[in-house]
Amino acid sequence: AEISGDGMSHDALVELHGLTVGLYGVTTDEARPAYGLIDSGYRDVSVEASMSLRERGADVVVALTHLDQLADAALLEGDSLQGPDLILGGQHEQFFEDRVNGRWILRGGADATSARVAWVTVSGEGELSIEHELVDLSTGDIPGDLAVEVAVETWWRAFDSSFCGAEVGCLHRYFTESRIPLEGTEDSIRGGESSLGNLVADSLRAAFEDADVGIVNAGALRLNQVVLPGSALTRQFVEETIPYENIAMLVSISGERLLQVLSHSVSEVPSPRFLQVSGIAYSY
């Protein structure tokens, strides 16, 4: 079965300023959930979607992707009709731009600290041109949007009520504060030792009296930011760092199996399978 929902579509045709823009998405098969099938034939999927949109009247075809750099580039191989005119990508934390066969791959920052703005022009002869700009959103020069601020506050209150129940405001419960920077960005935790990874792995190890080693996969740590020294570590910090309903477990394995686990951890780096550890050290 494929992933589906009322708010989801394989593709869409959108009218913008006199142009018919075809949109489709391609996402990574890095994790294959039990509830759906993600086709990893990215190139084949892209060609099929692009050609279908053009046949249905698209003047411009844009792919919205969540792939790595090489996979994005592969979508632009070959004939210009067999693929998108423009890729707006995600996945990587840092902004990025590249041009393959005359077509752009553009990414903003993953934390909404920057955004890509692209201007697409089609001449009377059907010739396509694209200009783009990276806009820094972290300067504070861009005014806030009252409607968005009200919506965010409403969502927070609803989440607090749902999560805390009778203990209203429990997300603000104070535990301690950071004395050092806690490196929790995807770049820092998915390929090397990080201070946030150490904190979580140490905490897991300390939770069991007989534990010799503590391990946690980097993909379980979702904070994706650096916590500055002096920051309050609250219940909200814990929930944002580990939002999944994970269960801490104590298991007994051999040294040989532990080596296999660590080898798998670094078989593809950076990766969410990368292990943050406590009680052991390793290099790769």
Side-chain angles (χ1 to χ4, degrees):
E2 294 184 344
I3 301 172
S4 61
D6 293 339
M8 301 179 70
S9 175
H10 286 287
D11 57 34
L13 290 170
V14 181
E15 297 296 327
L16 293 173
H17 304 288
L19 291 178
T20 302
V21 180
L23 302 171
Y24 70 95
V26 186
T27 191
T28 177
D29 67 343
E30 195 170 84
R32 293 176 176 267
Y35 53 79
L37 173 63
I38 299 172
D39 194 331
S40 59
Y42 306 133
R43 167 73 177 155
D44 295 338
V45 169
S46 180
V47 169
E48 181 180 350
S50 297
M51 296 186 72
S52 172
L53 287 165
R54 295 187 201 280
E55 289 171 358
R56 287 149 53 198
D59 301 305
V60 180
V61 175
V62 179
L64 309 176
T65 71
H66 193 70
L67 305 173
D68 62 33
Q69 181 179 344
L70 293 177
D72 268 341
L75 302 189
L76 301 179
E77 294 176 352
D79 191 291
S80 61
L81 296 179
Q82 295 185 333
D85 299 301
L86 171 66
I87 291 177
L88 301 178
Q91 178 73 348
H92 284 238
E93 181 179 336
Q94 299 299 323
F95 56 82
F96 170 80
E97 64 183 61
D98 191 17
R99 202 170 191 182
V100 179
N101 290 333
R103 290 172 285 172
W104 285 104
I105 302 170
L106 303 175
R107 296 183 181 137
D111 289 325
T113 56
S114 64
R116 289 283 180 182
V117 179
W119 294 270
V120 180
T121 304
V122 178
S123 70
E125 293 74 33
E127 184 176 340
L128 186 74
S129 63
I130 296 175
E131 297 181 2
H132 60 89
E133 177 185 4
L134 180 68
V135 180
D136 186 356
L137 303 177
S138 64
T139 61
D141 296 335
I142 299 176
D145 185 296
L146 180 59
V148 172
E149 292 172 359
V150 170
V152 170
E153 179 63 25
T154 301
W155 291 331
W156 266 117
R157 290 182 179 179
F159 177 68
D160 183 278
S161 175
S162 174
F163 184 88
C164 297
E167 192 185 349
V168 177
C170 71
L171 290 170
H172 299 298
R173 180 184 173 190
Y174 174 87
F175 293 127
T176 184
E177 70 176 41
S178 58
R179 289 185 287 180
I180 62 170
L182 296 176
E183 294 282 348
T185 63
E186 286 191 1
D187 282 355
S188 64
I189 66 174
R190 296 193 175 199
E193 181 181 12
S194 81
S195 47
L196 179 67
N198 285 339
L199 172 63
V200 176
D202 286 346
S203 298
L204 286 171
R205 181 184 173 202
F208 299 96
E209 183 178 352
D210 298 328
D212 301 303
V213 175
I215 59 175
V216 59
N217 65 297
L221 309 180
R222 310 302 293 187
L223 191 63
N224 200 21
Q225 60 182 275
V226 178
V227 178
L228 299 177
S231 299
L233 303 186
T234 63
R235 180 69 178 272
Q236 180 177 325
F237 161 79
V238 174
E239 295 303 325
E240 289 181 346
T241 301
I242 309 177
Y244 304 120
E245 296 182 359
N246 293 343
I247 299 174
M249 300 183 67
L250 181 67
V251 298
S252 178
I253 63 174
S254 66
E256 181 181 11
R257 175 54 63 89
L258 180 58
L259 181 59
Q260 292 174 342
V261 169
L262 294 174
S263 296
H264 179 70
S265 163
V266 298
S267 61
E268 182 181 324
V269 177
S271 166
R273 76 182 62 162
F274 186 86
L275 292 178
Q276 298 291 333
V277 301
S278 173
I280 55 173
Y282 68 94
S283 60
Y284 70 97

